[in-house]
Amino acid sequence: QDPARSAYTSNTAITRGKPAITAESGGMGLTDEASVAAQEAGALSLVRHLGILADAPSVRVERPVWFDRSEVLRAAADGVWYPAVEKMQSVAEGTVIGRLHDPFGALIAEVRAPFAGEMLYVVATPPVSKGEPLGFVGHVADAEPRP
């Protein structure tokens, strides 16, 4: 809620009263042709929908999933991250998302889902620093919003 402490562009926009979206497609920041094409198609469809480019191609998602809230799960300390779930996996509140260990294997913390939802991403690289993202869970909205 504090614009000075915002870490993501969409959150920064919202704290300043501007509309924003978070685009997630593919995974792990892949830059292969199919992943880039999916992001490009989504961006072009959005600018057409907003009336910015009337002649931009438009692609509709057949079964969109709407999230009404989300949370980035962060490392409580430096350590070695062992995820217990995968991206796109549905989780219940309290589900173990993964475990953070010290370099000698001792458990530092279990990271649990703060609410039921879907894992939008899960970090796959083991070494993490305190405060780094480990995963991102989104709560699936009860009703599909109207465009």
Side-chain angles (χ1 to χ4, degrees):
Q1 304 222 352
D2 179 1
R5 295 184 49 157
S6 177
Y8 298 99
T9 55
S10 59
N11 182 253
T12 299
I14 291 168
T15 62
R16 289 169 170 77
K18 306 295 182 192
I21 64 166
T22 299
E24 292 287 339
S25 177
M28 302 283 296
L30 298 176
T31 57
D32 61 278
E33 191 171 325
S35 297
V36 172
Q39 289 283 2
E40 184 179 61
L44 288 171
S45 293
L46 178 62
V47 296
R48 179 183 176 134
H49 174 77
L50 295 174
I52 297 168
L53 286 175
D55 61 345
S58 182
V59 178
R60 300 290 294 183
V61 174
E62 289 184 30
R63 292 182 189 91
V65 177
W66 299 95
F67 300 97
D68 56 11
R69 70 177 190 247
S70 61
E71 185 172 326
V72 175
L73 310 173
R74 297 183 177 278
D78 296 348
V80 182
W81 170 243
Y82 296 93
V85 298
E86 297 180 9
K87 70 175 182 166
M88 306 292 292
Q89 182 176 331
S90 293
V91 295
E93 181 177 345
T95 297
V96 174
I97 303 303
R99 293 172 178 85
L100 188 60
H101 293 261
D102 73 14
F104 303 102
L107 180 66
I108 295 173
E110 281 190 336
V111 177
R112 296 181 177 270
F115 46 79
E118 186 171 301
M119 295 306 302
L120 303 176
Y121 70 72
V122 180
V123 171
T125 52
V128 296
S129 297
K130 181 178 181 177
E132 282 188 25
L134 302 173
F136 187 31
V137 62
H139 180 265
V140 179
D142 292 332
E144 183 177 314
R146 303 280 180 225

